[in-house]
Amino acid sequence: MRKYIFGTGLLSAITSGLTLFRSLRSNEPFTWRTALGWLSWGITLALAIGAVVDTRRSARGKLIAGDSPLSKGEQKRLLKERVKR
């Protein structure tokens, strides 16, 4: 589990989230740029969590979605298993 939590994508998403939280403390008004920053952070966090979930599912031998970057490797693994049988 440690290798998933300390992945670079998740760490960078958390770090950028901390930066956004610090910007809330300042007395600056909430602008459209701030809203886009929060939206971007939410998308980045969702993609990082999705990558962790896909990696974990792939490591356990479960099927993953076809839009995942790991799906090509999974197709190769499934073909190797079929050839072995």
Side-chain angles (χ1 to χ4, degrees), residues 36-48:
L36 286 178
W38 280 105
L39 179 66
S40 172
W41 175 75
I43 292 170
T44 303
L45 185 64
L47 288 172

Side-chain angles (χ1 to χ4, degrees), residues 50 53-68 70-79 81-82 85:
V53 169
D54 285 347
T55 304
R56 188 163 188 220
R57 288 178 60 90
S58 177
R60 291 183 175 211
K62 296 181 180 178
L63 293 177
I64 56 175
D67 63 347
S68 173
L70 298 174
S71 66
K72 291 180 184 177
E74 181 185 17
Q75 290 172 359
K76 290 179 184 177
R77 183 179 52 85
L78 288 174
L79 286 174
E81 287 179 12
R82 289 181 186 162
R85 290 182 189 173

